[in-house]
Amino acid sequence: VPPAKFVETVKETGATIVGLSGFLTLAYDPMKETVAALKDAGLDVKIMIGGAPVTGEFAKEIGADAYASNAASAVDKGKELLGL
């Protein structure tokens, strides 16, 4: 999905969290571009990333707000990000 589509969809829906998942290291550059596009658009949205090759360090490197290693921890992290 192109980064502009994420920006457009967040604007249309008012989403407060965007989740990105990658299953190969090929997803690294698109994730980085999407995080940058969301931040450049000035949107008030939290960005979470995960997936097999993804790490917490990579999340920090690209400016994501959170990393989760699995779906259950992603739910917990999402609640934490929203203050729930």
Side-chain angles (χ1 to χ4, degrees):
V1 177
K5 183 65 174 172
F6 281 92
V7 171
E8 175 187 328
T9 302
V10 169
K11 287 179 179 179
E12 288 176 357
T13 65
T16 54
I17 294 181
V18 171
L20 305 173
S21 180
F23 295 102
L24 299 170
T25 56
L26 294 172
Y28 279 10
D29 286 340
M31 281 182 164
K32 184 176 181 177
E33 293 164 7
T34 300
V35 170
L38 290 164
K39 290 186 180 286
D40 290 347
L43 297 169
D44 185 23
V45 63
K46 299 295 183 185
I47 306 164
M48 297 176 51
I49 67 170
V54 179
T55 65
E57 181 154 323
F58 178 69
K60 289 177 188 173
E61 180 182 317
I62 67 170
D65 297 295
Y67 157 78
S69 61
N70 59 59
S73 63
V75 170
D76 293 338
K77 185 58 74 171
K79 288 179 180 178
E80 181 183 314
L81 288 171
L82 295 177
L84 302 175

